[in-house]
Structures are given as structure tokens and as C-alpha cells.
Amino acid sequence: MPHHLFKCSECIPERKKHAVIKGEGEDLTSCLPLGYLNTIPGTISERGCAFCGAKHVIGTPMKDVIHLCHGPVGCTYDTWQTKRYLSDNDNFQFKYTFATDMKEKDIVFGAEKLLRQSIMEAFEAFPEIKRMSIYQTCASALIGDDINAVVKDIMAEMPEVDIFVCNSPGFAGPSQSGGHHVINIAWVNQKVGTYEPEIKSDYVINYVGEYNIQGDQEVMLDYFQRMGIQVLSTFTGNGSYDDLRGMHRAHLNVLECARSAEYICNELRVRYGTPRMDIDGFGFKPLSESLLKVGYFFGLEEKAQKVIDEEVARWKPELDWYARRLKGVKVCLWPGGSKLWHWANVIHEEMGVEVVSVYTKFGHQGDMEKGIARCGEGALAIDDPNELEGIEAIKKLKPDVIFTGVRPGEVAKKMRVQYLNAHAYHNGPYKGFEGWVRFARDIYNAVYSPIHQLSGLDISKDEISADKGFMTRQMISDVKIDTEEAALSEERPYTGDYDCVTKLRGKEYPLLEKSPSAN
Amino acid sequence: MRSLPPNVIKEVNQFMTFKLKKKERNSIINPIFTCQPAGAQYASIGMDECIGIVHGGQGCVMFVRLLFAQHFKDNFLLASSSLHEDSAVMGGMHRVEQAVDVLLMRYPEVKVVPIISTCSTEIIGDDIDGVARKLNNGLLKEKYAEREVHLIPIHTPSFKGSMIYGYDTAVKDFITYFAELGEPNGKINLITGWVNPGDVTALKHLLKEMDVDATVIFEIETFDSPLMPDGEAVSHGSTTIEDLKSTANAMGTIALNRYEGGQAARYLEKKFEVPAVIGPTPIGIRNTDTFLENVRRMTGKPIPQSLVRERGIAIDALTDLVHMFFADKKVAIYGNPDLVIGLAEFCLDLEMKPVLLMIGDENLEYLKDQRIKDLQEKVEDIDIIQNADFWVLENKIKNEEIELDLIMGHSKGRFISIDYDIPMLRVGFPVYDRAGYYRHPVMGYSGATWLAEEMANVLFTDMEYKKNKEWILNVW
């Protein structure tokens, strides 16, 4: 068995089954780590809680909604302004956050009255917003407040408002993943089918498991709409509450992040017979295949091909410029859940980087299965990593760059390893053809940073070359490429704008129309 | 759960001489503060050879660590007991026991382990004092007999107080645990409150000029850590067990922030007769003067010429700005109570008009705070609101109840500044949307200079951006 026991974890041998090194000729039957089990206390794991999985990851990207937490203020404060999910309504959902601010007397006597008051106060403060999502926390769950009952009463009194309740306290599961599941099922149970959406096309999809990080959703929407497809709803990035109540009317559920949102697709398939199609917005090849796949479903493959051709012609020379210079760069792919398999193979294929390790904070065995299958031999896969194991892995593998979160990224920084934010991105979006070039550009800018190079110099003992006033990234990166060949190619570095998303808003899509005969 | 001792409540009743406004709603729209455990965690990272265990859901640690990383752009160590569903139902004491064991096994340098409670574990009634006793008599004796380990239970139920009270409580609990009578150490205790590394540097500089030896609690200059060629540096506080032990033997304690360390200073005074001076927060010239005077009285050391000169440099910088640019500028300030009060006082000396002060929590102690009383009674058109949230500020701006020239506060309020086009100086905690602010002091003379010059630069940038008499800066 290729299980890997970290030195720092020898005293907790149960960790052995959570890490594997994919050996020569080995397949998944022999090298699949355990996953999604309770965390060992005190390990300094990277995991969050089920509340944040529900509220922070999936709930709050919904844009036209008052997001209210029923609990002490910390849960609200902590999940406010720590992500980059945009919306085209001036980011209402991340500018405003609401808490019932439960105090000691509420804990003792119950806080349902406070909850009712808070709901009223929130609607009063924002009279134009008629939709609300309420999130249970550890405290409100433990004292047994019946949020559903309060909401039922209020919705009866105020027919113009609609309120969603998510009962996913922080302790409900080993990680944020527990909350993903709860909110998926809660939405389909409570809200899907309660609203009839306007159908504008013969080709209607829900775009599911997409959170509009730095504009990802808006980029993908542009492609779909150029194909003549109506995106009825997005679950949930930049998504609208009422559109999501109308999910049952789509012809197809196009699923991006399966880890966080496959549950709702599966339920919609069972309840409404809507097929699920898994796609991938990252990377030229997976994205092209995904658009074609959606195209084939509707008979729109020619339109899909047209979009692909236009985009590839525009951006491929720029991707190739970076790929030529990123070849052999060693990467630890340490995201939260599904990016480990979304990215594992394609960054190797299209940018030439070597994935030396994958980890997942809240992924399940299924994510590891896909991730490990897409890694090369020798890759180290870790489930529920902790601080010391991460450090040990960095020392052992000596990666050039790590794709992970802010905090582990700071650990890497101190160890002189560059990091890119895998959750919120550096300068995204990273989805779409242009986005993929931006990702390559960000990796390149990190790895070949002149300052990064200087960080390794110990002026007390190393030789200081006094003949240089500066270095450019290219002076560092191009020593290992064939510059003559590169000069002959059409490759060029990124030429897009700093903000490539805002201009997509308000764009017209002439293809988007419904045939008179269609229902 | 502990509550305020009865004598404190009596004191409050006795001195309750004025009223303080609260926000009119019960709920919160955009909070200014987070909850108690975050404060205890901020205190914990200030201690050397210490990793705190937060007994609660994983988010209670993960997000607080993220908050620290947002502010300092560095990583800090804190562990979780990872409360899952079974423990929420059956009790989670065994999770703490396991967490302590795992932490001690894997971090051989750790000697101090605060066990920090949260809302969930206070509600289910997990007895963290009991678990500490059990571990002391069991695991630590059996498995770690050769090792110095201190378990410090810290009760921080999230539904009481705020991050401020959590910090205050943790400082008191650390000192209560360690302070130990011995030979007089000839030092003073300087309890800084929830400050930045830049403040500690500034304060230590003042004390050095005064030739005064101090135990700084917490010694967090090292939060600003380097990126070294060997890749081995980490960000962590450096207050030692010995430092805390010897607090009982100091010639006095100065707690700069009444609500962030005041409890600890009072404890040392009561238990070990270490005289305590609580406040004022040395923000601005006047409060820094008072601080130095307090140090002088406590130690008998004179204020040296070097500080007269340093003060002069600050006064010189302020004189260039005050009556020309600051006079009558209306400012709203929010954040930690001592910070807000200190900044408001400084603004008044700068001829500005603090029109709105917002404190994110509610505390009976505020009602016997002479500084707040003075501000309320002696300053015209000032609104002081406790238990405030950002909606109080935004609403007032939106409804044109106030006009502001400047906002001062932490980054969570950034969108008010952005959306209503009001210049804002980031100050306090957390500041994540400006680079390197933790490195700069707001305390001491250098802090006064930095604050005033940054205020000016923020106003200047705004004048240029709005083309509002930007030409005035051609010559001044």
C-alpha cells in the first residue's frame, strides 16, 4: 500500500490512511486515501465548519437576498468580506450582512422573538429587497429555536416576501461539506417549483455549482448566451433568488463544482427528470469539450464550435506564451474540494506544470479518486491536511508554487514558496479562455518574480552580484527556453484588460429567442 | 459561565451618572465587532510557546485565523477541538482531552495551552475548568511528566460581550494563571491592549528613552516577521511565561486601554498590590504626555530631552496641518472603545469635529468612563453610540442626518466610504484593504504624527479625486 505517514503525524497513526503517494503502475484500487471523516482534534486542520459551507460558500453568493444569521454576531462577522463572489447588482450580497446578535438572555429564554424582530428590521432597512435567507448557527440550533415556524408565520403575514431557511449549524458534519449538502437539499425542498420563470429560449439550462468568483459565472454566461442558450438560474454565484425557485423549468442542469452542488442536480433529476451534465470551465480543452457537450445536447454544436473557434484564436497564442515558460514548474494543488480534479490534469497538459501534490480540505473520496487518477506518478495526495503536514510536504517536495487559500498561502510564503489563491484567485477570473490565460499569467508572475528570486539570497554569506540594477521576469524565465524558436512563434503575453468582466454586463445576445411553436 | 463580580456591578450603579445612546434596532446590519473567542485568540497568539485550542466548531478558529491573516498578511497558529455533531449532543470534553494530547505530541515546544470556549460549548455546558483539572491530574502527570505544560481555561461565550471583552478576559486569565509573588523586578507592566506591532515599537521606544524597563503584555512586535532566506521564520508573539510570572513583582502596571487589559491591571493591584494606572490611551500629543507623566510618577525617572525633541517634531508636523486643513472637519470614528475615545480626543486637539463615535458593543463600564462622559457633555454636536453597527453610520449618511469629511475606522466599513464618496483613514483592527498599516503606530508621538499625516494625505487624495480645491496644494 502506498499510504504515506508524515513524520509529524507518527504520533497519530490514524492519519496514515489519509495520505498516499501514487506509485509506479498503481491505480486507484491501491491508492485511495480515506476522506470526509471527523477531524482529529488539535491537529490544526485546514477545515471550516458546516455553517460556513452552507452560508458562506453557497448561500451568500445569491445576489438579491438579505442573508441573516440567527446566532451570536461572530458567525456573521467572520463570513463577511472574506470572499470574492461578485454580482451584477453592485455586490449587494457581500456589502450587507445581517445578524440577530443573540445574547445571553436569548440563549436562556429562546430567541424566536428576536429572530422575528430581526427579520422585520432587515426588511425595513431594505424595502426594495423582498427575499431573505436565514442561516442557523451552533447557538440557535442548540437552544432549539424553531426558525421554520417563525418564518412560516411571517410569510403568511407578509405575502410579498419569501424566506428560505437553512438549518446547518457549524457542528453538523466533519467540514464545510456537510453544509453544502444541507443547503442543496433545503433549497430543492423548500423553494424549487414555487415560482414560474420567464422562458426566453428553446434551450434552457441551470448553471449549477458556480459561485462567480471574480466573475467566472459572467464569463461562462457570455459563452452560453452566444450559443443561444438561456441560463435560467445560477446556483448560486450572481444568482437570483426567484430564478432559483424556477430551476424546475430548465431542460438541463449544467454542473460545474460537483463537490458542492451535485446534490441538487441529483434531486432535480429525480423529482423533475432534468438531466445532469458535468462540465468544466477551466482549461481550453475541457472548456471546449464542455461547450460542445452542451451544444450537442441541444443541437447547437455549430454555435458552440463558433464560440470556441473565436475564443481559441484570440487567446491560444497568449496561453502558449506562458506554457512555454511554465514547463516543468512544480505545483502543489491544494484547494478546498473539486478544483483538485478540475485542475490536476489540465494544468499539466496545457501549461506544462508538474503537479507534485494534491490535497483536499473537505473533499470526499470521490474527489480524491478523480484527482489522483489525473495526477502523474509520485504525486502525494492528502486528505484533510493539517499545518505540520503541509509544511513537511513543502520541505519534501520543494514546489515552485502552491495553489491554496490565504492562510496556508502565508505559510508557504514564509517558506519561500509562491502561492496563488485557489479559492478566490489572484487576478481572476480563471474560468473561460481568457481566464485561463490570466491564471497562466498569474502563475508566471509569481514563479518568475525578481523579488522572489532575491528572497533566497543570504547577504551574510552568499555572493552578491553587484553588476545588476534590476532583473525582469523574462530575464529569469527565458534562460530555459529556446528564444529563437519562441521569437518565430505568434505567441504573446496577455493583452486583456485588468477588469475583463464588467464590460460583459448589458451585452446583447441576438440569438437568444424562443421559437413561436415552443412551449 | 462567569458573570461580573457583584462589587463591580455595585460600582456601576454608584457611578451611573449619564446615559449613552444605543442603536435603535435589536439586530445587526454589518457588524463592527466579532465575538469573544476572537479576542481570546488575539491574546493567545501574543504568547510565546503557546497554541490556543478553541473548543467549538472549526469555523470559530478557521475564520479568526483568516482574519489575522487578512490583517497581518501572515499565518498564526491556533487549534480547534473540532466539535462535530456527536459531541454537540453528547458533550465534547473528550475532544478537548484529545486536542491537548495531539497538540502536545506534535508541537514539542508548546508549554501554554489556553482552552477557549465558544457559544456552542458554553451552551452544552462543557466544563473546561474540569477538563483542565482532569488533564493536569491525569494525562499531564502520566504522559508529559517531564514537560512544563500550562492549561488555561478561558471562558468566552460568544453571546456575551464582544471580541473586546474576550481579549480583556483572556489577558486577565493569563495573568491570573501565571502571576507569582517573588522579588521586586524593578520593572513596570505595560499592558498595551489590542494594538498593532507598530504601536508596541513606538511604546517601547518611549520607555527606552525614559530608561524604564517594562514587561510588555503582549509582546507582539514579532507579529511583523521577515521572510528569511532559510524559510524558517514564523509570526508569533514573544511574551514568555517568566514575563507573566513576574508581573506580580513589578513596581506598577500601566494598562493603556481600559477595556483591553484593565481587568488584569486591577487583578494585579488587588492580589499583589501592584499599583495600577488604567489609561489613558496614548493617542495624540496630550494623552502621550499623560502616559509619560504616569511612567515618570511610577518610576521616578524624568522625561528626557530626547522626548521633548521628539514631541517637538510631532508638534511641528501637526502645526503644518491643523488650522490649515483639519479645522472644523467633521469626522465619524468607529471601532474598539479605547481607540475610538483616543482618536476622538486627538481629533478635538486637531480642531476637528468628531460628530459620531460608534462602539460595536454594549458595556455597563462605559457609563462610568469619565472620558466618554466628558466627550458627551463638553463637545457640541457629538453623537456617541454603543452597541452600534455600520447601518447606524450608513443610515445617517443616507438620510443626510450628518455630513462627513472623514471616516476613521477598520476595513469592514470600507464600502460606506466607497459608496458615499467619503474619504476614510483605515485605523484599528482589522485593516486588510491597505498595505502594511499594522507596521505603523497610532500611539505615542510618532503615532500622532503618522495619524495626522495620513489623515491629511487621505484628504488630499480626495481633493484631487473630486477636484475640490486641489490647486490649494500647489503651495502650503
Side-chain angles (χ1 to χ4, degrees):
Chain A
M1 288 287 277
H3 282 132
H4 178 73
L5 183 59
F6 286 94
K7 272 209 159 7
C8 62
S9 294
E10 278 168 0
C11 54
I12 34 173
E14 58 268 48
R15 281 293 304 159
K16 188 177 176 184
K17 292 191 168 172
H18 291 265
V20 298
I21 295 173
K22 189 178 178 180
E24 196 183 335
E26 269 169 351
D27 64 21
L28 289 167
T29 53
S30 61
C31 63
L32 190 61
L34 294 177
Y36 199 52
L37 295 175
N38 284 353
T39 319
I40 301 170
T43 48
I44 315 198
S45 148
E46 308 285 358
R47 283 171 160 180
C49 64
F51 159 81
C52 86
K55 190 238 177 193
H56 194 41
V57 176
I58 299 191
T60 355
M62 245 193 291
K63 67 183 172 187
D64 45 6
V65 182
I66 287 168
H67 295 280
L68 171 70
C69 289
H70 187 32
V73 72
C75 313
T76 305
Y77 179 99
D78 289 351
T79 53
W80 181 43
Q81 290 190 19
T82 54
K83 278 208 164 214
R84 293 179 181 146
Y85 32 59
L86 317 181
S87 61
D88 56 13
N89 63 346
D90 200 24
N91 304 314
F92 175 80
Q93 83 292 350
F94 75 47
K95 275 188 192 168
Y96 298 101
T97 194
F98 302 78
T100 56
D101 191 21
M102 206 181 255
K103 291 294 181 197
E104 192 165 20
K105 67 176 189 322
D106 307 308
I107 300 289
V108 177
F109 299 110
E112 290 176 11
K113 204 175 136 197
L114 174 68
L115 173 63
R116 167 178 263 279
Q117 250 168 358
S118 304
I119 295 170
M120 297 302 182
E121 286 172 359
F123 279 129
E124 208 173 298
F126 292 89
E128 69 284 6
I129 306 278
K130 302 288 184 201
R131 301 291 177 258
M132 180 181 283
S133 188
I134 300 178
Y135 306 90
Q136 195 185 40
T137 61
C138 292
S140 51
L142 288 169
I143 63 169
D145 271 3
D146 189 345
I147 302 176
N148 297 62
V150 174
V151 164
K152 202 176 155 202
D153 287 351
I154 289 181
M155 280 176 61
E157 288 163 34
M158 300 170 70
E160 73 280 14
V161 307
D162 199 272
I163 303 174
F164 166 65
V165 179
C166 176
N167 292 316
S168 176
F171 54 73
S175 69
Q176 40 274 67
S177 185
H180 303 155
H181 193 175
V182 170
I183 195 170
N184 270 249
I185 301 303
W187 187 264
V188 79
N189 279 345
Q190 289 174 45
K191 295 302 166 197
V192 175
T194 64
Y195 181 84
E196 285 307 316
E198 189 194 348
I199 303 298
K200 298 181 212 157
S201 159
D202 296 337
Y203 318 106
V204 183
I205 64 168
N206 295 313
Y207 187 25
V208 184
E210 163 55 55
Y211 304 106
N212 202 30
I213 305 299
Q214 294 209 24
D216 275 356
Q217 182 253 13
E218 295 173 75
V219 168
M220 293 295 286
L221 234 62
D222 177 55
Y223 301 149
F224 292 133
Q225 294 181 129
R226 278 156 69 186
M227 289 165 64
I229 292 169
Q230 178 191 356
V231 180
L232 177 65
S233 73
T234 304
F235 188 87
T236 53
N238 199 26
S240 172
Y241 186 99
D242 282 350
D243 291 346
L244 285 160
R245 291 165 73 197
M247 285 180 100
H248 58 296
R249 289 296 178 209
H251 305 131
L252 178 68
N253 289 316
V254 171
L255 175 62
E256 189 89 48
C257 174
R259 176 67 286 121
S260 62
E262 66 173 351
Y263 316 103
I264 195 164
C265 286
N266 295 347
E267 284 303 310
L268 291 168
R269 182 168 55 195
V270 171
R271 299 184 196 194
Y272 301 98
T274 325
R276 154 185 165 173
M277 181 184 283
D278 290 35
I279 67 147
D280 198 333
F282 296 114
F284 277 47
K285 190 158 174 269
L287 174 55
S288 300
E289 284 170 359
S290 296
L291 294 177
L292 272 177
K293 211 157 70 164
V294 176
Y296 279 121
F297 182 87
F298 289 117
L300 295 171
E301 60 274 19
E302 282 175 22
K303 292 198 173 72
Q305 193 59 55
K306 187 164 173 281
V307 171
I308 295 163
D309 291 345
E310 284 170 16
E311 293 291 323
V312 170
R314 169 70 182 85
W315 298 111
K316 188 72 169 38
E318 303 190 1
L319 179 67
D320 290 343
W321 191 92
Y322 293 105
R324 182 186 292 276
R325 289 158 178 87
L326 291 176
K327 196 171 171 9
V329 162
K330 287 200 285 180
V331 169
C332 284
L333 178 46
W334 288 355
S338 66
K339 282 196 192 88
L340 86 103
W341 48 267
H342 275 294
W343 288 357
N345 183 46
V346 67
I347 52 176
H348 175 67
E349 292 289 320
E350 299 192 356
M351 299 178 193
V353 303
E354 300 296 332
V355 177
V356 294
S357 175
V358 289
Y359 86 30
T360 173
K361 298 178 191 180
F362 54 79
H364 299 200
Q365 274 196 310
D367 299 293
M368 270 298 187
E369 237 176 87
K370 289 188 263 189
I372 293 168
R374 293 174 191 190
C375 278
E377 276 165 13
L380 169 64
I382 318 166
D383 166 68
D384 179 22
N386 57 60
E387 187 99 359
L388 285 177
E389 291 178 356
I391 290 170
E392 192 176 318
I394 292 173
K395 285 185 174 164
K396 180 183 153 80
L397 301 168
K398 300 189 173 55
D400 297 300
V401 61
I402 298 183
F403 307 152
T404 189
V406 169
R407 210 180 24 68
E410 296 297 344
V411 178
K413 174 185 82 178
K414 280 288 197 279
M415 300 179 72
R416 296 197 53 251
V417 178
Q418 295 286 63
Y419 112 93
L420 290 189
N421 192 323
H423 311 307
Y425 310 152
H426 269 54
N427 283 295
Y430 288 168
K431 271 184 189 161
F433 297 92
E434 182 177 359
W436 199 241
V437 177
R438 291 169 79 97
F439 186 23
R441 184 262 328 256
D442 284 357
I443 303 171
Y444 174 81
N445 288 354
V447 171
Y448 297 109
S449 156
I451 290 296
H452 177 58
Q453 210 191 31
L454 287 176
S455 73
L457 183 77
D458 185 339
I459 52 169
S460 71
K461 52 183 185 214
D462 295 342
E463 194 184 327
I464 300 170
S465 58
D467 60 334
K468 283 193 198 77
F470 67 91
M471 286 287 273
T472 66
R473 288 169 306 203
Q474 224 171 320
M475 285 161 73
I476 302 167
S477 68
D478 285 10
V479 292
K480 62 176 190 182
I481 65 163
D482 181 340
T483 39
E484 273 178 40
E485 191 192 301
L488 290 174
S489 74
E490 289 182 353
E491 295 159 10
R492 57 176 185 261
Y494 181 59
T495 57
D497 296 334
Y498 181 63
D499 175 3
C500 65
V501 173
T502 308
K503 63 189 171 198
L504 297 173
R505 294 175 188 165
K507 196 171 151 185
E508 303 264 317
Y509 296 92
L511 284 172
L512 204 62
E513 60 183 41
K514 192 179 169 186
S515 60
S517 56
N519 287 315
Chain B
M1 272 175 271
R2 285 182 244 176
S3 52
L4 288 171
N7 60 330
V8 173
I9 289 167
K10 208 164 68 195
E11 240 178 280
V12 171
N13 290 333
Q14 203 177 324
F15 288 98
M16 203 183 294
T17 53
F18 68 106
K19 280 191 172 165
L20 203 51
K21 275 194 207 169
K22 295 180 209 172
K23 76 168 177 324
E24 285 158 7
R25 285 162 289 110
N26 280 300
S27 64
I28 282 181
I29 304 175
N30 293 357
I32 293 175
F33 286 165
T34 186
C35 57
Q36 279 213 72
Q41 291 175 69
Y42 194 74
S44 295
I45 58 174
M47 181 91 199
D48 193 24
E49 298 172 323
C50 166
I51 298 179
I53 293 173
V54 180
H55 185 31
Q58 291 167 154
C60 308
V61 183
M62 197 270 274
F63 280 105
V64 173
R65 294 181 72 202
L66 176 61
L67 189 67
F68 297 162
Q70 278 181 288
H71 180 79
F72 291 109
K73 315 295 177 208
D74 263 321
N75 173 60
F76 293 88
L77 283 177
L78 287 153
S80 173
S81 67
S82 296
L83 192 81
H84 298 318
E85 202 142 24
D86 50 343
S87 312
V89 179
M90 315 292 284
M93 308 279 279
H94 61 291
R95 303 291 288 180
V96 180
E97 291 176 38
Q98 202 185 344
V100 169
D101 191 23
V102 169
L103 195 72
L104 291 177
M105 283 194 289
R106 299 178 83 223
Y107 290 87
E109 72 284 8
V110 165
K111 291 182 184 151
V112 185
V113 184
I115 300 167
I116 300 164
S117 72
T118 59
C119 49
S120 55
T121 50
E122 290 283 349
I123 292 172
I124 62 177
D126 273 0
D127 176 11
I128 56 171
D129 303 277
V131 86
R133 273 195 303 276
K134 185 178 169 198
L135 287 165
N136 280 329
N137 294 327
L139 183 79
L140 297 187
K141 268 194 185 145
E142 291 152 16
K143 192 168 168 183
Y144 300 97
E146 305 295 307
R147 190 162 153 188
E148 180 184 4
V149 178
H150 305 277
L151 305 176
I152 309 174
I154 301 177
H155 290 267
T156 46
S158 321
F159 44 78
K160 276 179 79 175
S162 71
M163 64 193 224
I164 304 300
Y165 192 65
Y167 182 87
D168 197 41
T169 302
V171 177
K172 185 205 66 195
D173 287 353
F174 272 108
I175 285 186
T176 307
Y177 182 94
F178 285 112
E180 193 179 278
L181 208 54
E183 290 299 305
N185 66 8
K187 291 176 162 188
I188 65 165
N189 300 320
L190 183 72
I191 304 181
T192 63
W194 191 318
V195 298
N196 274 318
D199 293 309
V200 175
T201 307
L203 293 164
K204 280 165 69 174
H205 163 74
L206 291 176
L207 293 175
K208 193 173 171 227
E209 294 300 313
M210 292 279 291
D211 193 26
V212 168
D213 204 359
T215 305
V216 178
I217 298 157
F218 286 93
E219 178 53 271
I220 60 155
E221 240 182 326
T222 41
F223 282 4
D224 188 6
S225 63
L227 198 170
M228 295 297 279
D230 64 2
E232 290 293 330
V234 292
S235 283
H236 207 280
S238 43
T239 291
T240 64
I241 293 171
E242 287 308 316
D243 287 339
L244 291 189
K245 275 188 181 165
S246 72
T247 53
N249 310 309
M251 60 175 85
T253 303
I254 298 182
L256 299 177
N257 285 352
R258 180 167 174 166
Y259 305 102
E260 298 156 11
Q263 279 194 74
R266 279 192 287 269
Y267 167 81
L268 287 171
E269 185 169 61
K270 204 171 161 193
K271 174 92 180 173
F272 301 105
E273 293 171 355
V274 179
V277 174
I278 297 172
T281 308
I283 292 175
I285 303 295
R286 197 180 300 275
N287 283 327
T288 303
D289 294 349
T290 308
F291 166 64
L292 293 178
E293 171 62 11
N294 287 335
V295 175
R296 189 187 67 78
R297 284 188 198 171
M298 191 171 275
T299 61
K301 298 266 174 78
I303 298 172
Q305 272 306 308
S306 62
L307 289 180
V308 176
R309 182 180 158 77
E310 191 174 320
R311 183 177 184 274
I313 287 173
I315 296 271
D316 180 79
L318 301 184
T319 308
D320 291 336
L321 296 167
V322 176
H323 63 271
M324 170 86 183
F325 295 109
F326 291 157
D328 299 324
K329 289 277 188 289
K330 297 193 189 86
V331 55
I333 308 168
Y334 62 83
N336 294 19
D338 291 292
L339 177 76
V340 169
I341 295 165
L343 289 173
E345 290 173 334
F346 184 39
C347 283
L348 287 163
D349 275 345
L350 295 177
E351 302 184 36
M352 301 171 86
K353 289 185 169 166
V355 290
L356 178 65
L357 308 183
M358 303 199 307
I359 300 169
D361 63 1
E362 202 179 333
N363 189 340
L364 288 174
E365 296 277 313
Y366 298 154
L367 299 177
K368 52 175 189 169
D369 191 323
Q370 190 63 37
R371 298 172 299 173
I372 299 178
K373 190 166 184 271
D374 282 350
L375 284 167
Q376 190 151 278
E377 290 175 359
K378 295 178 184 166
V379 180
E380 268 177 50
D381 300 323
I382 193 170
D383 224 355
I384 307 174
I385 301 177
Q386 62 170 340
N387 196 23
D389 60 9
F390 282 112
W391 189 243
V392 170
L393 173 60
E394 184 164 346
N395 226 3
K396 280 181 188 289
I397 298 169
K398 214 163 118 173
N399 301 335
E400 296 175 356
E401 280 173 48
I402 49 169
E403 268 182 41
L404 293 173
D405 299 298
L406 183 68
I407 297 173
M408 290 167 83
H410 59 73
S411 296
K412 291 270 181 184
R414 64 192 299 254
F415 281 107
I416 298 180
S417 156
I418 295 166
D419 285 346
Y420 297 91
D421 254 344
I422 301 166
M424 169 169 160
L425 175 62
R426 273 70 173 167
V427 54
F429 180 94
V431 173
Y432 44 78
D433 62 340
R434 287 294 181 274
Y437 271 29
Y438 56 84
R439 194 167 290 122
H440 301 284
V442 298
M443 290 178 168
Y445 299 126
S446 55
T449 311
W450 186 82
L451 272 173
E453 289 180 341
E454 284 304 300
M455 275 191 240
N457 289 336
V458 164
L459 292 172
F460 295 165
T461 308
D462 188 67
M463 285 158 68
E464 289 165 1
Y465 176 72
K466 290 177 182 156
K467 290 192 184 286
N468 177 19
K469 292 185 73 171
E470 76 290 355
W471 39 260
I472 212 166
L473 298 171
N474 283 357
V475 54
W476 61 282

